[in-house]
Amino acid sequence: MLAKCYSGAINGVDARMVEIEVYSQIGTSQFAIVGLPDTAVKEAKDRIPKALKSQGLALKKEYDVTVNLAPADVRKEGSIYDLPIAVGLLGASGQIRNRHLDEYGLIGELALSGEVRAAHGILPMVMEMRRVGLRAVIVPVENVEEASVVSGIDVIPVRVLQEAVQYLNGELTIEPRHTDIGDLIAGGGSSLDDFADVKGQDTAKQAIEVAVAGGHNILMIGSPGSGKTMLARRIPSILPPLTVEEALEVSRIHSVAGEAKGGGGFVTERPFRAPHHTVSSIGLLGGGTHPVPGEVSLAHRGVLFLDEFAEFPRQALEVLRQPLEDGHVGVSRAAAAFDFPSKFMLVAAMNPCPCGYHGDPNHDCRCRTNAIVKYQSRVSGPLLDRIDIQVEVPPVDVKRLPTMDPGESSATIRERVLKARAIQAERYRNLPGVHTNADVRSRDLDRVCLFTAKERECLIRTIERMKISARAYDKVLRVARTLADLDGSEAVRESDILAAVTYRKLDSEDNAFWV
């Protein structure tokens, strides 16, 4: 007898349908799984009979079983096919009487006790099942919060195999779960650190506000203890909330990577990723034997914070150049090519030299010139060119700390950021893929800046004095456009251009840190 149901397979951060065909006939208890299964899938023939017996569902006769996972040319990986294979087997042997089994999707690993265990990649698989029009999807109860954000398909949580069988036979009623994404997003962000905790560093805080308002990359340079990390870790508190579309996009990536935590598996806040400086290039970019998203993709629509920037392996830093420019990562393997989204805001912090005190007025630097040059050269010119804002974070006068007033709260700064983002959203509403000034294409810069002859002359003088690259020139214009937006100005003014130039710290002639 033949039974059929559906499951899914992960392809990058997307999913595709897998048809589970189970054919059984009275025989000698042979169990074969075909359709390009990996080792974990093949081991299902050992797990499933024990799980059936534990749940009182053991087959009463000896059957020869053939399981076909279609399409046969797509590799099937992991233990998520245990539940659909078991249900298909029970359908083929007559223990499940539901004639519409092929309208259901099933995902989950089976323990020997019959317990249904959680799986990675639930969200994209459920989204694909909804797209093809399945009636319902049966998932492990641990994954139900993540899966239930997908509207238009019934999500049925089960703890053990017996519950799935009874539900499909109409013997047990399980109410479908549906979760409102808007409520999840609205409930996030209450425990974030506040910029009011940071005393002093007004210039650095202003630079961060500009960076967040326009989606710009930023590098903070300063001696140890000046507050670079403290400032960076408060950036999430002024980021705009995720939209529903962005939340689904981000959650899909984290689901595939097995990192979805917020909202019971759904990502409710913009990601803030801070990998250690020993991370490999694969850890940053993604890939591996079975490609998974790296840190640049896990930071999609959020922040990638690289502390001790110059301590990262040179090769790892250089792989950032393409995702910073393109907003996605292409990973090619012999069997397939994968595309991982990676549109993130880079926030980096570094010391100016190995000892950390080059240019510090309060400490003597112990490094020789060649050691400083070698240290600074770990961050290449092409990579620095892709960082819009480079700002000095000088040491705070410790003696003044007890009497210094608290800084502006994150809530106050965030209001200004949201107003600037709203202006940009309106400006770019007809430009696909452009949401912030950092996204705008080079050919559109002159049009969105609305220069007069005076501003253009100022820009030409600046370029001649600083001798910056064409890419850095574009960065200056983008930052100037953001400064104008924060002030509510329709056109970019001369003051905005001059202020944007001051944020190119490493290009300036009076830079005290760079040698």
Side-chain angles (χ1 to χ4, degrees):
M1 186 175 178
L2 177 66
K4 182 172 68 173
C5 58
Y6 289 93
S7 191
I10 296 299
N11 180 31
V13 294
D14 298 314
R16 62 184 302 173
M17 295 295 293
V18 174
E19 186 177 302
I20 313 291
E21 296 177 304
V22 181
Y23 182 82
S24 67
Q25 62 182 9
I26 296 175
T28 57
S29 298
Q30 296 183 29
F31 201 130
I33 301 178
V34 297
L36 212 58
D38 72 352
T39 302
V41 179
K42 292 177 181 176
E43 289 173 347
K45 63 183 181 182
D46 298 315
R47 288 189 295 270
I48 290 173
K50 306 300 187 296
L52 291 174
K53 188 173 183 180
S54 296
Q55 293 285 296
L57 298 167
L59 303 181
K60 298 177 182 179
K61 300 179 181 179
E62 292 184 339
Y63 286 91
D64 286 342
V65 177
T66 301
V67 178
N68 181 42
L69 309 178
D73 60 342
V74 175
R75 186 164 181 79
K76 320 304 184 306
E77 299 173 347
S79 53
I80 63 169
Y81 303 106
D82 287 3
L83 180 60
I85 291 174
V87 167
L89 178 57
L90 293 170
S93 65
Q95 294 192 60
I96 291 180
R97 300 176 296 278
N98 192 316
R99 295 183 179 180
H100 302 285
L101 203 55
D102 58 354
E103 297 180 8
Y104 291 85
L106 300 103
I107 307 165
E109 175 186 338
L110 289 178
L112 298 184
S113 63
E115 177 188 356
V116 183
R117 290 174 170 165
H120 294 169
I122 286 282
L123 184 58
M125 287 190 279
V126 175
M127 292 173 72
E128 178 64 11
M129 290 173 183
R130 177 191 63 182
R131 188 190 69 80
V132 301
L134 292 188
R135 174 191 295 185
V137 55
I138 299 176
V139 302
V141 70
E142 294 176 52
N143 293 122
V144 67
E145 294 298 331
E146 178 184 345
S148 62
V149 300
V150 182
S151 59
I153 185 172
D154 288 342
V155 177
I156 309 299
V158 295
R159 296 184 183 277
V160 293
L161 175 60
Q162 185 70 257
E163 290 182 3
V165 174
Q166 292 175 348
Y167 170 79
L168 290 168
N169 279 333
E171 300 167 357
L172 176 66
T173 300
I174 302 177
E175 289 298 321
R177 292 285 293 274
H178 296 287
T179 301
D180 189 303
I181 301 177
D183 290 344
L184 287 179
I185 295 173
S190 58
S191 61
L192 298 174
D193 293 326
D194 200 294
F195 270 101
D197 303 330
V198 183
K199 295 183 177 181
Q201 300 299 9
D202 292 337
T203 301
K205 285 190 278 190
Q206 289 169 3
I208 288 173
E209 180 180 338
V210 174
V212 174
H216 305 292
N217 304 316
I218 182 171
L219 170 63
M220 295 181 284
I221 311 160
S223 52
S226 57
K228 303 183 296 296
T229 303
M230 187 178 187
L231 287 163
R233 292 197 176 277
R234 280 155 177 75
I235 288 176
S237 67
I238 62 172
L239 289 170
L242 286 168
T243 64
V244 171
E245 293 76 14
E246 288 174 335
L248 282 169
E249 191 178 5
V250 173
S251 296
R252 187 175 59 181
I253 298 169
H254 285 242
S255 176
V256 170
E259 298 245 351
K261 297 173 183 176
F266 189 76
V267 179
T268 58
E269 300 171 6
R270 292 192 181 273
F272 182 87
R273 304 291 300 186
H276 192 262
H277 62 258
T278 56
V279 67
S280 67
S281 56
I282 290 179
L284 271 180
L285 201 64
T289 305
H290 304 293
V292 294
E295 292 291 339
V296 297
S297 296
L298 293 170
H300 183 61
R301 300 298 180 192
V303 173
L304 177 65
F305 175 45
L306 301 184
D307 203 1
E308 304 296 344
F309 197 42
E311 299 293 341
F312 281 76
R314 177 68 178 263
Q315 183 181 4
L317 289 181
E318 290 306 301
V319 302
L320 291 174
R321 288 158 59 174
Q322 185 235 343
L324 282 173
E325 203 72 18
D326 301 336
H328 64 90
V329 174
V331 179
S332 296
R333 293 292 179 267
F338 305 91
D339 189 79
F340 298 128
S342 59
K343 189 64 181 175
F344 58 91
M345 174 183 167
L346 174 64
V347 178
M350 66 177 288
N351 299 328
C353 67
C355 79
Y357 295 109
H358 177 61
D360 190 322
N362 302 320
H363 296 84
D364 293 329
C365 177
R366 303 188 302 271
C367 306
R368 296 183 178 183
T369 301
N370 63 341
I372 298 174
V373 172
K374 183 177 180 180
Y375 183 81
Q376 294 176 353
S377 65
R378 294 180 182 179
V379 184
S380 69
L383 182 55
L384 286 173
D385 234 15
R386 287 169 168 82
I387 299 177
D388 313 40
I389 297 175
Q390 305 147 3
V391 65
E392 175 187 349
V393 184
V396 177
D397 188 349
V398 179
K399 292 180 291 186
R400 293 183 54 221
L401 273 177
T403 59
M404 292 175 71
D405 295 328
E408 277 189 305
S409 70
S410 291
T412 302
I413 300 172
R414 194 172 192 240
E415 284 182 14
R416 296 196 294 267
V417 167
L418 291 176
K419 287 181 181 178
R421 286 284 184 111
I423 291 171
Q424 294 167 64
E426 175 64 21
R427 179 187 302 127
Y428 304 126
R429 67 185 186 279
N430 296 323
L431 294 178
V434 179
H435 305 285
T436 63
N437 292 324
D439 301 330
V440 67
R441 293 178 288 266
S442 298
R443 66 173 181 266
D444 296 322
L445 277 172
D446 282 350
R447 179 176 60 80
V448 302
C449 288
L450 301 174
F451 286 137
T452 65
K454 180 182 177 182
E455 280 76 36
R456 198 172 297 280
E457 183 182 346
C458 172
L459 191 59
I460 292 171
R461 290 198 310 268
T462 302
I463 294 169
E464 290 175 345
R465 186 180 76 251
M466 298 183 67
K467 299 177 181 179
I468 60 178
S469 69
R471 182 184 287 114
Y473 163 79
D474 283 355
K475 299 294 186 185
V476 168
L477 294 189
R478 289 184 174 95
V479 173
R481 180 65 267 180
T482 301
L483 286 163
D485 289 339
L486 283 167
D487 281 345
S489 173
E490 185 176 349
V492 171
R493 303 154 298 184
E494 184 176 357
S495 59
D496 299 321
I497 295 171
L498 294 175
V501 168
T502 65
Y503 288 136
R504 298 292 301 179
K505 185 66 182 175
L506 303 185
D507 293 329
S508 64
E509 295 175 354
D510 61 345
N511 174 26
F513 283 133
W514 235 241
V515 295

